[in-house]
Amino acid sequence: MTRKTQNRSSPEVRQRAVAQRYGWSLYCLTWHGVLAPAGTPAAVVAAANAAFAAMVAMPDVRARRETTQGAVVVGGPPEAFGRFIADESAQWGPVVRAAGIRAAN
């Protein structure tokens, strides 16, 4: 398992660029986010995004995520998260379909 960038809380996990020098190609990213139903008013989305951005900017929250979970805390506008989800779907969708993976009930 590799990361795109080095993480302070897990220096033993190699960066992707370093791993590729050894011929390793496995890369997986775990991420968390908050979604709202389609059609949610833009003002509601903006208010929720501002609240979550304020929360993840708190030093104690950020430190706890980084040290206990090895997380890299990232925030940003909803549009960027939407693009990220689309990119992840484009990358992993074919793998999921080829493997016949289905959501469990």
Side-chain angles (χ1 to χ4, degrees), residues 16-92:
R16 186 176 188 182
V18 173
Q20 286 175 335
R21 279 187 272 177
Y22 293 98
W24 303 345
S25 61
L26 177 62
Y27 175 73
C28 184
L29 179 66
T30 300
W31 53 268
H32 304 271
V34 178
L35 303 172
T40 300
V44 173
V45 172
N49 187 60
F52 284 111
M55 180 188 65
V56 299
M58 294 176 181
D60 61 322
V61 171
R62 184 176 290 277
R64 195 167 43 247
R65 297 295 161 256
E66 290 174 351
T67 59
T68 63
Q69 298 175 351
V72 177
V73 180
V74 179
E79 298 80 13
F81 188 46
R83 286 190 303 273
F84 173 78
I85 292 171
D87 291 347
E88 287 289 286
S89 296
Q91 177 180 355
W92 295 106

